[in-house]
Amino acid sequence: MCKFQTPNVPQGATADERRAIMFNALSNLDLSDKCEKRENLTYLSWANAWAEFKKVHPNATYEIKKFEGGIPYAYDPNTGYMVYTSVTVDGQTHEMWLPVMDGANKAMKAVDYTYKTRFGEKTCEAMTMFDVNKTVMRCLVKNLAMFGLGLYIYAGEDLPQDIREYVCADCGKAVESAMAQRTHKAFGAYLCKECGVERSKKKEEAKNDVK
């Protein structure tokens, strides 16, 4: 990781100029050794993000928005749960929000619900406080990106999701995007999980025959 280099702020710089200089410096900070890869996504843990941010801005503070009864989320029966945070640095406050989602990035609600995909019917389980807690801290990390920290991680997240239809090269079955990308990287072909396992076995057998 590139260690943060404190930028030179010219004497007499305005508050906006100072903030812009710090933003550019933070946005260029390499956090690759602090991130984790899951499927095709990159995650920066809240602990690592806050630690790095406080090194640069020791006086930074954050707030989790509370609603009636002290709950840290807003809820709509049709759209689900939303959490909010705000971070204040050098007299400037940025807000952020994030929906509570499951592992498939589906909005969680008060009860389980099903939805249809091209691979069949799926279930999104009801929200729990554990899900809210995770989302609040993820929201904080995203909030810090508004000041530059790890902003590059989120580049392109608002682009349309991959809607391409993938078909297994061996059996012709439909293949989910993440699996298609993994097998293409490993075998140079889009494969379903079963066919990918089969190719791995054949690859191992071929190695053993050579020995």
Side-chain angles (χ1 to χ4, degrees):
M1 183 183 85
C2 297
K3 186 177 180 181
F4 181 76
Q5 301 292 324
T6 303
N8 179 34
V9 179
Q11 188 175 5
T14 66
D16 285 343
E17 290 170 340
R18 183 175 66 248
R19 292 164 184 158
I21 291 171
M22 295 303 294
F23 176 90
N24 289 332
L26 269 177
S27 63
N28 287 317
L29 181 62
D30 180 10
L31 298 168
S32 56
D33 70 337
K34 302 292 184 182
C35 294
E36 299 176 25
K37 283 282 187 180
R38 298 178 190 172
E39 300 294 343
N40 294 321
L41 302 175
T42 300
Y43 290 91
L44 174 63
S45 76
W46 71 266
N48 285 333
W50 187 243
E52 294 301 318
F53 196 73
K54 289 288 279 186
K55 289 177 185 177
V56 179
H57 293 297
N59 295 321
T61 60
Y62 74 88
E63 182 180 357
I64 300 168
K65 187 173 181 179
K66 305 287 179 48
F67 296 85
E68 186 176 354
I71 58 175
Y73 57 79
Y75 177 65
D76 177 84
N78 295 315
T79 58
Y81 296 86
M82 187 78 78
V83 303
Y84 301 82
T85 61
S86 64
V87 175
T88 301
V89 173
D90 191 19
Q92 183 178 47
T93 298
H94 284 311
E95 297 182 344
M96 186 48 62
W97 50 92
L98 195 66
V100 179
M101 299 179 287
D102 68 358
N105 288 335
K106 289 294 182 181
M108 303 180 83
K109 300 181 182 181
V111 296
D112 297 356
Y113 70 90
T114 59
Y115 59 95
K116 293 181 178 179
T117 73
R118 63 178 183 270
F119 305 105
E121 194 171 76
K122 304 283 187 180
T123 299
C124 181
E125 296 182 350
M127 181 278 291
T128 68
M129 278 301 176
F130 179 71
D131 301 308
V132 172
N133 180 63
K134 287 194 302 181
T135 304
V136 167
M137 302 319 289
R138 283 181 59 201
C139 187
L140 174 61
V141 175
K142 198 170 183 179
N143 207 159
L144 298 178
M146 298 298 287
F147 291 92
L149 183 75
L151 185 62
Y152 66 90
I153 295 173
Y154 298 96
E157 75 156 14
D158 54 345
L159 297 178
Q161 293 184 356
D162 184 4
I163 57 173
R164 177 179 172 182
E165 298 279 347
Y166 293 96
V167 176
C168 179
D170 288 356
C171 70
K173 285 167 46 178
V175 184
E176 291 184 332
S177 176
M179 177 61 66
Q181 298 303 326
R182 286 201 301 271
T183 55
H184 189 270
K185 184 176 181 180
F187 305 105
Y190 300 123
L191 303 169
C192 65
K193 182 178 180 180
E194 293 76 13
C195 291
V197 171
E198 189 62 31
R199 284 211 187 187
S200 294
K201 288 180 180 178
K202 290 180 178 179
K203 193 174 182 180
E204 285 299 317
E205 291 173 356
K207 286 183 180 179
N208 293 332
D209 289 343
V210 172
K211 292 178 181 179

